Amino acid sequence: TAVANIPLGLWVVWSFMAIAASGASYDVVRGFFAQPLNAILMLMFLVSVFYHMALGLQVVVEDYVHCERSKIVYLVGSRIVVFGLTVATVFSVLKLAV
């Protein structure tokens, strides 16, 4: 996921600069994401970043939480939070795109 995040991250930076240069109004952002390629790339970026985050959180919990019960709670809780964030951001992009 780290390798995928590099070009997608560069695209996101370029996109935000292009949107800002165009005025950054709601209509400009909506028009930007109405283009299928932009919406798809943003969705790929979001899913990749959140999956990368979930993997990183898992490693931290496994390495630094020593109580097995707490470890399970933290792992399940972090997955639920990451899943919720992913769903919320994907919904937001799809709402802008449609």
Side-chain angles (χ1 to χ4, degrees):
T1 57
V3 173
N5 287 343
I6 293 170
L8 290 170
L10 292 172
W11 175 83
V12 167
V13 170
W14 172 85
S15 298
F16 288 166
M17 289 178 9
I19 289 170
S22 300
S25 69
Y26 179 76
D27 292 329
V28 169
V29 173
R30 191 167 182 164
F32 182 82
F33 287 111
Q35 298 175 12
L37 180 63
N38 292 333
I40 290 169
L41 288 173
M42 181 57 78
L43 291 172
M44 288 172 56
F45 174 73
L46 291 170
V47 170
S48 178
V49 164
F50 283 119
Y51 184 63
H52 186 77
M53 183 173 83
L55 294 175
L57 287 171
Q58 178 180 341
V59 169
V60 169
V61 169
E62 289 172 348
D63 287 350
Y64 295 106
V65 177
H66 301 294
C67 175
E68 288 302 316
R69 289 184 197 159
S70 296
K71 188 180 293 191
I72 291 170
V73 170
Y74 290 141
L75 287 172
V76 171
S78 68
R79 289 291 172 134
I80 290 170
V81 169
V82 170
F83 180 74
L85 290 171
T86 304
V87 169
T89 57
V90 166
F91 174 78
S92 299
V93 171
L94 292 176
K95 189 165 173 75
L96 283 172
V98 175

Coordinates of all heavy atoms in Angstrom, one line a residue:
T1 N 0.8 -1.2 0.0 CA 0.0 0.0 0.0 C 0.9 1.3 0.0 O 0.4 2.3 -0.5 CB -0.9 0.0 1.2 OG1 -0.2 -0.1 2.4 CG2 -2.0 -1.1 1.2
A2 N 2.0 1.2 0.6 CA 2.9 2.4 0.6 C 3.3 2.7 -0.8 O 3.4 3.9 -1.1 CB 4.1 2.1 1.5
V3 N 3.6 1.8 -1.6 CA 4.0 2.0 -3.0 C 2.9 2.6 -3.8 O 3.1 3.6 -4.5 CB 4.6 0.8 -3.6 CG1 4.9 1.0 -5.1 CG2 5.8 0.3 -2.9
A4 N 1.7 2.1 -3.6 CA 0.5 2.7 -4.3 C 0.2 4.1 -3.8 O -0.3 4.9 -4.6 CB -0.7 1.8 -4.0
N5 N 0.5 4.4 -2.5 CA 0.2 5.7 -2.0 C 1.1 6.8 -2.6 O 0.7 8.0 -2.6 CB 0.3 5.7 -0.5 CG -0.9 5.0 0.2 OD1 -1.9 4.7 -0.5 ND2 -0.7 4.6 1.4
I6 N 2.2 6.5 -3.1 CA 3.1 7.5 -3.6 C 2.5 8.2 -4.8 O 2.3 9.4 -4.8 CB 4.5 6.9 -3.9 CG1 5.2 6.5 -2.6 CG2 5.4 7.9 -4.6 CD1 6.5 5.7 -2.7
P7 N 2.2 7.5 -5.9 CA 1.7 8.2 -7.1 C 0.3 8.7 -6.8 O -0.1 9.8 -7.3 CB 1.6 7.1 -8.2 CG 1.7 5.8 -7.5 CD 2.5 6.0 -6.2
L8 N -0.5 8.0 -6.0 CA -1.8 8.5 -5.7 C -1.8 9.8 -4.8 O -2.5 10.7 -5.0 CB -2.7 7.4 -5.0 CG -3.1 6.2 -5.9 CD1 -3.7 5.1 -5.0 CD2 -4.1 6.7 -6.9
G9 N -0.8 9.8 -3.9 CA -0.6 11.0 -3.1 C -0.2 12.2 -3.9 O -0.6 13.3 -3.7
L10 N 0.7 11.9 -4.8 CA 1.1 13.0 -5.7 C -0.1 13.5 -6.5 O -0.2 14.7 -6.8 CB 2.3 12.6 -6.6 CG 3.6 12.3 -6.0 CD1 4.6 11.6 -6.9 CD2 4.2 13.5 -5.4
W11 N -0.9 12.6 -7.0 CA -2.1 13.0 -7.8 C -3.0 13.9 -6.9 O -3.6 14.9 -7.3 CB -2.8 11.8 -8.3 CG -4.1 12.2 -9.0 CD1 -4.3 12.6 -10.2 CD2 -5.4 12.2 -8.3 NE1 -5.6 12.9 -10.4 CE2 -6.3 12.7 -9.3 CE3 -5.9 11.9 -7.1 CZ2 -7.7 12.8 -9.0 CZ3 -7.2 12.0 -6.8 CH2 -8.1 12.5 -7.8
V12 N -3.2 13.5 -5.6 CA -4.1 14.2 -4.7 C -3.5 15.6 -4.5 O -4.3 16.6 -4.5 CB -4.2 13.4 -3.3 CG1 -4.8 14.3 -2.3 CG2 -5.1 12.2 -3.5
V13 N -2.2 15.8 -4.3 CA -1.6 17.1 -4.1 C -1.9 17.9 -5.3 O -2.3 19.1 -5.3 CB -0.1 17.0 -3.8 CG1 0.6 18.3 -3.8 CG2 0.1 16.3 -2.4
W14 N -1.6 17.3 -6.5 CA -1.9 18.1 -7.8 C -3.3 18.5 -7.9 O -3.7 19.6 -8.3 CB -1.4 17.2 -9.0 CG -1.9 17.8 -10.3 CD1 -1.2 18.8 -11.0 CD2 -3.1 17.6 -11.0 NE1 -1.9 19.1 -12.1 CE2 -3.0 18.4 -12.1 CE3 -4.1 16.7 -10.8 CZ2 -4.1 18.4 -13.0 CZ3 -5.2 16.7 -11.7 CH2 -5.1 17.5 -12.8
S15 N -4.2 17.5 -7.5 CA -5.7 17.8 -7.6 C -6.1 19.0 -6.7 O -6.8 19.8 -7.1 CB -6.5 16.6 -7.2 OG -6.2 15.5 -8.1
F16 N -5.6 18.9 -5.5 CA -5.9 20.0 -4.6 C -5.4 21.4 -5.0 O -6.1 22.4 -4.9 CB -5.4 19.7 -3.1 CG -6.2 18.6 -2.5 CD1 -5.7 18.0 -1.3 CD2 -7.4 18.1 -2.9 CE1 -6.4 17.0 -0.7 CE2 -8.1 17.1 -2.3 CZ -7.6 16.6 -1.2
M17 N -4.2 21.4 -5.6 CA -3.7 22.6 -6.2 C -4.5 23.1 -7.3 O -4.7 24.3 -7.5 CB -2.2 22.4 -6.5 CG -1.3 22.3 -5.3 SD 0.5 22.0 -5.6 CE 0.8 22.2 -7.3
A18 N -4.9 22.2 -8.2 CA -5.7 22.5 -9.4 C -7.1 23.0 -8.9 O -7.6 24.0 -9.5 CB -5.9 21.3 -10.3
I19 N -7.7 22.4 -7.9 CA -9.0 22.9 -7.4 C -8.8 24.3 -6.7 O -9.6 25.2 -7.0 CB -9.5 21.9 -6.4 CG1 -10.0 20.6 -7.1 CG2 -10.7 22.5 -5.6 CD1 -10.4 19.4 -6.2
A20 N -7.8 24.5 -6.0 CA -7.5 25.7 -5.3 C -7.3 26.8 -6.4 O -7.8 28.0 -6.2 CB -6.4 25.7 -4.4
A21 N -6.6 26.5 -7.4 CA -6.3 27.5 -8.5 C -7.6 27.9 -9.2 O -7.7 29.0 -9.8 CB -5.3 27.0 -9.4
S22 N -8.6 27.0 -9.2 CA -9.9 27.2 -9.9 C -10.9 27.9 -9.1 O -12.0 28.1 -9.5 CB -10.4 25.9 -10.4 OG -9.6 25.3 -11.3
G23 N -10.6 28.2 -7.9 CA -11.5 29.0 -7.0 C -12.0 28.2 -5.8 O -12.5 28.8 -4.9
A24 N -11.9 26.9 -5.8 CA -12.2 26.0 -4.7 C -13.6 26.2 -4.2 O -13.9 25.9 -3.0 CB -11.2 26.2 -3.5
S25 N -14.5 26.6 -5.0 CA -15.9 26.6 -4.6 C -16.5 25.2 -4.7 O -15.9 24.3 -5.3 CB -16.7 27.6 -5.6 OG -16.8 27.0 -6.9
Y26 N -17.7 25.1 -4.1 CA -18.4 23.8 -4.1 C -18.6 23.3 -5.5 O -18.4 22.1 -5.8 CB -19.7 23.9 -3.3 CG -20.4 22.6 -3.3 CD1 -20.0 21.6 -2.5 CD2 -21.5 22.4 -4.1 CE1 -20.7 20.4 -2.4 CE2 -22.2 21.2 -4.1 CZ -21.8 20.2 -3.2 OH -22.5 19.0 -3.2
D27 N -19.0 24.2 -6.4 CA -19.3 23.8 -7.8 C -18.0 23.4 -8.5 O -18.1 22.4 -9.3 CB -19.9 25.0 -8.6 CG -21.3 25.3 -8.1 OD1 -22.0 24.4 -7.6 OD2 -21.7 26.5 -8.1
V28 N -16.9 24.0 -8.2 CA -15.6 23.6 -8.8 C -15.2 22.2 -8.4 O -14.8 21.3 -9.1 CB -14.5 24.6 -8.5 CG1 -13.1 24.0 -8.9 CG2 -14.8 25.9 -9.2
V29 N -15.4 21.9 -7.0 CA -15.0 20.6 -6.5 C -16.0 19.6 -7.0 O -15.5 18.5 -7.4 CB -15.1 20.7 -4.9 CG1 -14.9 19.3 -4.4 CG2 -14.0 21.6 -4.4
R30 N -17.2 19.9 -7.1 CA -18.2 18.9 -7.6 C -17.9 18.6 -9.1 O -18.0 17.5 -9.5 CB -19.6 19.5 -7.4 CG -20.6 18.5 -7.7 CD -22.0 18.9 -7.2 NE -22.9 17.8 -7.5 CZ -24.0 17.7 -7.0 NH1 -24.5 18.5 -6.2 NH2 -24.8 16.6 -7.4
G31 N -17.6 19.6 -9.9 CA -17.2 19.4 -11.3 C -16.0 18.6 -11.4 O -15.9 17.8 -12.4
F32 N -15.0 18.8 -10.6 CA -13.8 18.0 -10.6 C -14.1 16.5 -10.4 O -13.6 15.7 -11.1 CB -12.8 18.5 -9.6 CG -11.5 17.9 -9.6 CD1 -10.5 18.2 -10.5 CD2 -11.2 16.8 -8.7 CE1 -9.3 17.6 -10.5 CE2 -10.0 16.2 -8.7 CZ -9.0 16.6 -9.6
F33 N -14.9 16.2 -9.4 CA -15.2 14.8 -9.1 C -16.2 14.3 -9.9 O -16.5 13.0 -9.9 CB -15.5 14.7 -7.6 CG -14.3 14.8 -6.7 CD1 -14.1 15.9 -5.9 CD2 -13.3 13.9 -6.8 CE1 -13.0 16.0 -5.1 CE2 -12.2 14.0 -6.0 CZ -12.0 15.1 -5.1
A34 N -16.9 15.1 -10.7 CA -17.9 14.6 -11.7 C -17.2 13.9 -12.8 O -17.8 13.0 -13.5 CB -18.8 15.7 -12.2
Q35 N -15.9 14.1 -13.0 CA -15.1 13.4 -14.0 C -14.8 12.1 -13.5 O -14.2 12.0 -12.4 CB -13.9 14.2 -14.4 CG -14.1 15.6 -15.0 CD -12.9 16.4 -15.2 OE1 -11.8 15.9 -15.1 NE2 -13.0 17.7 -15.5
P36 N -15.1 11.0 -14.2 CA -15.0 9.6 -13.6 C -13.5 9.3 -13.2 O -13.3 8.7 -12.2 CB -15.4 8.7 -14.8 CG -16.4 9.6 -15.6 CD -15.8 11.0 -15.5
L37 N -12.6 9.7 -14.0 CA -11.2 9.4 -13.7 C -10.8 10.0 -12.3 O -10.1 9.3 -11.5 CB -10.2 9.9 -14.8 CG -8.7 9.6 -14.5 CD1 -8.5 8.1 -14.4 CD2 -7.9 10.2 -15.6
N38 N -11.2 11.2 -12.1 CA -10.8 11.9 -10.8 C -11.5 11.2 -9.6 O -10.9 11.0 -8.6 CB -11.2 13.4 -10.9 CG -10.4 14.2 -11.8 OD1 -9.2 13.8 -12.1 ND2 -10.9 15.2 -12.4
A39 N -12.8 10.8 -9.8 CA -13.5 10.2 -8.7 C -12.9 8.8 -8.4 O -12.7 8.4 -7.3 CB -15.0 10.0 -9.1
I40 N -12.5 8.1 -9.5 CA -11.9 6.7 -9.3 C -10.6 6.8 -8.6 O -10.3 6.1 -7.7 CB -11.8 6.0 -10.7 CG1 -13.2 5.6 -11.2 CG2 -10.9 4.8 -10.6 CD1 -13.3 5.1 -12.6
L41 N -9.7 7.8 -9.1 CA -8.4 7.9 -8.4 C -8.5 8.3 -7.0 O -7.8 7.8 -6.1 CB -7.6 8.9 -9.2 CG -7.1 8.5 -10.6 CD1 -6.4 9.6 -11.3 CD2 -6.1 7.3 -10.4
M42 N -9.5 9.2 -6.7 CA -9.7 9.6 -5.3 C -10.2 8.4 -4.4 O -9.7 8.2 -3.3 CB -10.7 10.8 -5.1 CG -10.8 11.2 -3.7 SD -9.3 11.7 -2.9 CE -9.1 13.4 -3.6
L43 N -11.1 7.6 -5.0 CA -11.5 6.4 -4.2 C -10.4 5.5 -4.0 O -10.3 4.9 -2.9 CB -12.7 5.8 -5.0 CG -14.0 6.6 -5.0 CD1 -15.0 5.9 -5.9 CD2 -14.5 6.8 -3.6
M44 N -9.6 5.3 -5.0 CA -8.4 4.4 -4.9 C -7.5 4.9 -3.8 O -7.0 4.1 -3.0 CB -7.7 4.2 -6.2 CG -8.4 3.4 -7.3 SD -7.6 3.4 -8.9 CE -6.0 2.9 -8.5
F45 N -7.2 6.2 -3.8 CA -6.4 6.8 -2.8 C -6.9 6.6 -1.4 O -6.2 6.2 -0.5 CB -6.2 8.3 -3.1 CG -5.4 9.0 -2.0 CD1 -4.1 8.9 -1.9 CD2 -6.1 9.9 -1.1 CE1 -3.4 9.6 -0.9 CE2 -5.4 10.6 -0.2 CZ -4.0 10.4 0.0
L46 N -8.2 6.9 -1.2 CA -8.8 6.8 0.1 C -8.8 5.3 0.6 O -8.4 5.1 1.8 CB -10.3 7.3 0.1 CG -10.4 8.8 -0.1 CD1 -11.9 9.1 -0.4 CD2 -9.9 9.5 1.0
V47 N -9.2 4.4 -0.2 CA -9.2 3.0 0.2 C -7.7 2.5 0.5 O -7.5 1.9 1.6 CB -9.8 2.1 -0.9 CG1 -9.6 0.6 -0.5 CG2 -11.3 2.4 -1.0
S48 N -6.8 2.9 -0.3 CA -5.4 2.6 0.0 C -4.8 3.2 1.2 O -4.2 2.5 2.0 CB -4.5 3.0 -1.2 OG -3.2 2.7 -1.0
V49 N -5.1 4.4 1.5 CA -4.7 5.1 2.7 C -5.3 4.5 3.9 O -4.6 4.3 4.9 CB -4.9 6.6 2.6 CG1 -4.8 7.3 4.0 CG2 -4.0 7.3 1.6
F50 N -6.6 4.3 3.9 CA -7.2 3.7 5.1 C -6.8 2.3 5.3 O -6.6 1.8 6.5 CB -8.7 3.8 5.0 CG -9.2 5.2 5.3 CD1 -9.9 5.9 4.4 CD2 -8.9 5.8 6.5 CE1 -10.3 7.2 4.6 CE2 -9.3 7.1 6.8 CZ -10.0 7.8 5.9
Y51 N -6.6 1.5 4.3 CA -6.1 0.1 4.5 C -4.6 0.2 5.0 O -4.3 -0.6 6.0 CB -6.1 -0.6 3.2 CG -5.7 -2.1 3.3 CD1 -6.4 -3.0 4.1 CD2 -4.6 -2.6 2.7 CE1 -6.1 -4.3 4.2 CE2 -4.2 -3.9 2.8 CZ -4.9 -4.7 3.6 OH -4.6 -6.1 3.7
H52 N -3.8 1.1 4.5 CA -2.5 1.2 5.0 C -2.5 1.7 6.5 O -1.7 1.2 7.3 CB -1.7 2.3 4.2 CG -0.3 2.5 4.6 ND1 0.7 1.6 4.1 CD2 0.3 3.5 5.3 CE1 1.8 2.1 4.6 NE2 1.6 3.2 5.3
M53 N -3.4 2.5 6.9 CA -3.6 2.9 8.3 C -4.0 1.8 9.1 O -3.5 1.6 10.3 CB -4.7 4.1 8.4 CG -4.8 4.6 9.8 SD -5.9 6.0 9.8 CE -7.5 5.2 9.9
A54 N -4.9 0.9 8.7 CA -5.4 -0.2 9.4 C -4.2 -1.2 9.7 O -4.0 -1.7 10.8 CB -6.5 -1.0 8.7
L55 N -3.4 -1.4 8.7 CA -2.2 -2.3 8.8 C -1.2 -1.7 9.8 O -0.7 -2.4 10.7 CB -1.5 -2.5 7.5 CG -2.3 -3.3 6.4 CD1 -1.5 -3.3 5.1 CD2 -2.6 -4.7 6.9
G56 N -1.0 -0.4 9.8 CA -0.1 0.3 10.7 C -0.6 0.2 12.1 O 0.2 -0.1 13.1
L57 N -1.9 0.4 12.3 CA -2.5 0.4 13.7 C -2.4 -1.1 14.2 O -2.1 -1.3 15.4 CB -3.9 0.8 13.6 CG -4.1 2.3 13.5 CD1 -5.6 2.6 13.3 CD2 -3.6 3.1 14.7
Q58 N -2.6 -2.0 13.3 CA -2.5 -3.4 13.8 C -1.1 -3.8 14.3 O -0.9 -4.4 15.3 CB -2.8 -4.4 12.6 CG -2.7 -5.8 13.0 CD -3.1 -6.7 11.8 OE1 -3.8 -6.3 10.8 NE2 -2.7 -8.0 11.8
V59 N -0.1 -3.3 13.6 CA 1.3 -3.6 14.0 C 1.6 -2.9 15.3 O 2.2 -3.5 16.2 CB 2.3 -3.1 12.9 CG1 3.7 -3.1 13.4 CG2 2.2 -3.9 11.6
V60 N 1.2 -1.7 15.5 CA 1.4 -1.0 16.7 C 0.7 -1.7 17.9 O 1.3 -1.9 18.9 CB 0.9 0.5 16.6 CG1 0.9 1.2 18.0 CG2 1.7 1.3 15.7
V61 N -0.5 -2.1 17.7 CA -1.2 -2.8 18.8 C -0.5 -4.1 19.1 O -0.3 -4.5 20.2 CB -2.7 -3.0 18.4 CG1 -3.4 -4.0 19.4 CG2 -3.4 -1.7 18.4
E62 N -0.2 -4.9 18.1 CA 0.5 -6.2 18.3 C 1.8 -6.0 19.0 O 2.2 -6.9 19.8 CB 0.6 -6.9 17.0 CG -0.7 -7.4 16.4 CD -0.6 -8.0 15.0 OE1 0.5 -7.8 14.4 OE2 -1.5 -8.6 14.5
D63 N 2.5 -5.0 18.7 CA 3.9 -4.8 19.3 C 3.8 -4.2 20.7 O 4.7 -4.5 21.5 CB 4.7 -3.9 18.4 CG 5.2 -4.5 17.1 OD1 5.0 -5.8 17.0 OD2 5.7 -3.8 16.2
Y64 N 2.9 -3.3 21.0 CA 2.9 -2.6 22.2 C 1.8 -2.9 23.3 O 1.9 -2.4 24.4 CB 2.9 -1.1 22.0 CG 4.2 -0.7 21.2 CD1 4.1 -0.4 19.9 CD2 5.4 -0.6 21.9 CE1 5.3 0.0 19.2 CE2 6.6 -0.3 21.2 CZ 6.5 0.0 19.9 OH 7.6 0.4 19.2
V65 N 0.8 -3.6 22.9 CA -0.2 -4.0 23.8 C 0.0 -5.5 24.2 O 0.0 -6.4 23.4 CB -1.6 -3.8 23.2 CG1 -2.7 -4.3 24.2 CG2 -1.9 -2.4 22.9
H66 N 0.3 -5.7 25.5 CA 0.7 -7.1 25.9 C -0.4 -7.9 26.5 O -0.4 -9.1 26.6 CB 1.8 -6.9 26.9 CG 3.0 -6.2 26.3 ND1 3.8 -6.8 25.3 CD2 3.6 -5.0 26.6 CE1 4.7 -5.9 24.9 NE2 4.6 -4.8 25.7
C67 N -1.5 -7.2 27.0 CA -2.7 -8.0 27.5 C -3.5 -8.5 26.3 O -3.9 -7.7 25.5 CB -3.5 -7.0 28.4 SG -5.0 -7.8 29.0
E68 N -3.7 -9.8 26.3 CA -4.4 -10.3 25.1 C -5.9 -9.8 24.9 O -6.3 -9.6 23.8 CB -4.4 -11.9 25.2 CG -3.1 -12.5 24.9 CD -2.5 -12.1 23.5 OE1 -3.3 -12.2 22.6 OE2 -1.3 -11.8 23.5
R69 N -6.6 -9.6 26.1 CA -7.9 -9.1 26.0 C -7.9 -7.7 25.4 O -8.7 -7.4 24.5 CB -8.6 -9.1 27.3 CG -8.9 -10.5 27.8 CD -9.7 -10.4 29.1 NE -9.7 -11.7 29.7 CZ -9.8 -12.0 31.0 NH1 -10.1 -10.9 31.8 NH2 -9.8 -13.2 31.5
S70 N -7.0 -6.9 25.9 CA -7.0 -5.5 25.4 C -6.5 -5.5 24.0 O -7.0 -4.6 23.2 CB -6.0 -4.7 26.3 OG -6.4 -4.6 27.6
K71 N -5.6 -6.3 23.6 CA -5.2 -6.4 22.2 C -6.3 -6.7 21.3 O -6.5 -6.0 20.2 CB -4.1 -7.5 22.1 CG -3.4 -7.5 20.8 CD -2.3 -8.6 20.7 CE -1.2 -8.3 21.6 NZ 0.0 -9.2 21.4
I72 N -7.2 -7.6 21.6 CA -8.3 -8.0 20.8 C -9.3 -6.8 20.7 O -9.8 -6.5 19.6 CB -9.0 -9.2 21.3 CG1 -8.1 -10.5 21.1 CG2 -10.3 -9.5 20.6 CD1 -8.5 -11.7 21.8
V73 N -9.5 -6.2 21.8 CA -10.4 -5.0 21.8 C -9.9 -3.9 20.9 O -10.6 -3.3 20.1 CB -10.7 -4.5 23.3 CG1 -11.4 -3.2 23.3 CG2 -11.4 -5.5 24.1
Y74 N -8.6 -3.6 21.1 CA -8.0 -2.5 20.3 C -8.0 -2.9 18.8 O -8.2 -2.0 17.9 CB -6.6 -2.2 20.8 CG -6.6 -1.5 22.1 CD1 -5.6 -1.8 23.0 CD2 -7.5 -0.5 22.5 CE1 -5.5 -1.2 24.3 CE2 -7.5 0.1 23.7 CZ -6.5 -0.3 24.6 OH -6.4 0.4 25.8
L75 N -7.7 -4.1 18.5 CA -7.6 -4.5 17.1 C -9.0 -4.4 16.4 O -9.2 -3.9 15.3 CB -7.1 -5.9 16.9 CG -5.6 -6.1 17.2 CD1 -5.2 -7.6 17.2 CD2 -4.8 -5.3 16.1
V76 N -10.0 -5.0 17.1 CA -11.4 -4.9 16.6 C -11.9 -3.5 16.5 O -12.5 -3.0 15.5 CB -12.3 -5.8 17.4 CG1 -13.8 -5.6 17.0 CG2 -12.0 -7.3 17.3
G77 N -11.6 -2.7 17.6 CA -12.0 -1.3 17.6 C -11.4 -0.5 16.5 O -12.1 0.3 15.9
S78 N -10.1 -0.7 16.3 CA -9.4 0.1 15.3 C -10.0 -0.3 13.9 O -10.1 0.6 13.0 CB -7.9 -0.1 15.3 OG -7.5 -1.4 15.0
R79 N -10.2 -1.5 13.7 CA -10.8 -1.9 12.4 C -12.2 -1.3 12.1 O -12.5 -0.9 11.0 CB -10.9 -3.5 12.3 CG -9.6 -4.2 12.1 CD -9.0 -3.8 10.8 NE -7.6 -4.4 10.7 CZ -7.1 -5.0 9.7 NH1 -7.9 -5.3 8.6 NH2 -5.9 -5.5 9.7
I80 N -13.0 -1.3 13.2 CA -14.3 -0.7 13.1 C -14.2 0.8 12.7 O -14.9 1.3 11.9 CB -15.1 -0.9 14.3 CG1 -15.5 -2.4 14.5 CG2 -16.4 0.0 14.4 CD1 -16.1 -2.8 15.8
V81 N -13.3 1.5 13.4 CA -13.1 2.9 13.2 C -12.6 3.2 11.8 O -13.1 4.1 11.1 CB -12.2 3.6 14.2 CG1 -11.8 5.0 13.9 CG2 -12.8 3.6 15.6
V82 N -11.6 2.4 11.4 CA -11.1 2.6 10.0 C -12.1 2.3 9.0 O -12.3 3.0 8.0 CB -9.8 1.7 9.8 CG1 -9.4 1.7 8.4 CG2 -8.7 2.2 10.7
F83 N -12.9 1.2 9.2 CA -14.0 0.9 8.2 C -15.0 2.0 8.2 O -15.4 2.4 7.1 CB -14.7 -0.4 8.6 CG -15.8 -0.8 7.7 CD1 -15.5 -1.3 6.5 CD2 -17.1 -0.6 8.1 CE1 -16.6 -1.7 5.6 CE2 -18.2 -1.0 7.3 CZ -17.9 -1.5 6.0
G84 N -15.4 2.6 9.3 CA -16.3 3.7 9.3 C -15.8 4.9 8.6 O -16.5 5.6 7.9
L85 N -14.5 5.2 8.8 CA -13.9 6.4 8.1 C -13.9 6.1 6.6 O -14.1 7.0 5.8 CB -12.5 6.6 8.7 CG -12.4 7.2 10.1 CD1 -11.0 7.2 10.6 CD2 -13.0 8.6 10.1
T86 N -13.6 4.9 6.2 CA -13.5 4.6 4.8 C -14.9 4.7 4.2 O -15.0 5.3 3.1 CB -13.0 3.1 4.6 OG1 -11.7 3.0 5.2 CG2 -12.9 2.8 3.1
V87 N -15.9 4.2 4.8 CA -17.3 4.3 4.3 C -17.7 5.8 4.2 O -18.3 6.2 3.2 CB -18.3 3.5 5.1 CG1 -19.7 3.8 4.8 CG2 -18.0 2.0 5.0
A88 N -17.4 6.5 5.2 CA -17.8 8.0 5.2 C -17.1 8.7 4.1 O -17.8 9.5 3.4 CB -17.5 8.6 6.5
T89 N -15.8 8.5 3.9 CA -15.1 9.3 2.8 C -15.5 8.8 1.4 O -15.6 9.6 0.5 CB -13.6 9.2 3.0 OG1 -13.2 7.9 3.0 CG2 -13.2 9.9 4.3
V90 N -15.7 7.5 1.3 CA -16.1 7.0 0.0 C -17.5 7.5 -0.4 O -17.8 7.9 -1.5 CB -16.1 5.4 -0.1 CG1 -16.9 4.9 -1.2 CG2 -14.7 4.9 -0.1
F91 N -18.4 7.5 0.6 CA -19.8 8.1 0.4 C -19.7 9.6 0.0 O -20.4 10.0 -0.9 CB -20.6 7.9 1.7 CG -21.9 8.6 1.6 CD1 -23.0 8.0 0.9 CD2 -22.2 9.8 2.2 CE1 -24.2 8.6 0.8 CE2 -23.4 10.4 2.1 CZ -24.4 9.8 1.4
S92 N -18.8 10.3 0.6 CA -18.6 11.7 0.3 C -18.2 11.9 -1.1 O -18.7 12.8 -1.8 CB -17.6 12.4 1.3 OG -18.1 12.3 2.6
V93 N -17.2 11.2 -1.5 CA -16.7 11.3 -2.9 C -17.8 10.9 -3.9 O -18.1 11.6 -4.9 CB -15.5 10.5 -3.2 CG1 -15.1 10.4 -4.6 CG2 -14.3 11.0 -2.3
L94 N -18.5 9.8 -3.6 CA -19.6 9.4 -4.5 C -20.7 10.4 -4.6 O -21.3 10.6 -5.6 CB -20.1 8.0 -4.1 CG -19.2 6.9 -4.3 CD1 -19.8 5.6 -3.7 CD2 -18.8 6.7 -5.7
K95 N -21.0 11.0 -3.4 CA -22.0 12.1 -3.4 C -21.6 13.3 -4.3 O -22.5 13.9 -5.0 CB -22.3 12.5 -2.0 CG -23.5 13.4 -1.8 CD -23.9 13.5 -0.4 CE -25.0 14.5 -0.1 NZ -26.3 14.0 -0.6
L96 N -20.4 13.6 -4.2 CA -19.9 14.7 -5.1 C -19.9 14.3 -6.5 O -20.1 15.2 -7.4 CB -18.4 15.1 -4.7 CG -18.3 15.9 -3.4 CD1 -16.8 16.1 -3.1 CD2 -18.9 17.3 -3.6
A97 N -19.6 13.1 -6.8 CA -19.4 12.6 -8.2 C -20.8 12.5 -8.9 O -20.8 12.5 -10.1 CB -18.7 11.3 -8.2
V98 N -21.8 12.2 -8.2 CA -23.1 11.9 -8.8 C -24.0 13.2 -8.9 O -24.0 14.0 -8.2 CB -23.9 10.8 -8.1 CG1 -25.2 10.6 -8.6 CG2 -23.0 9.5 -8.2

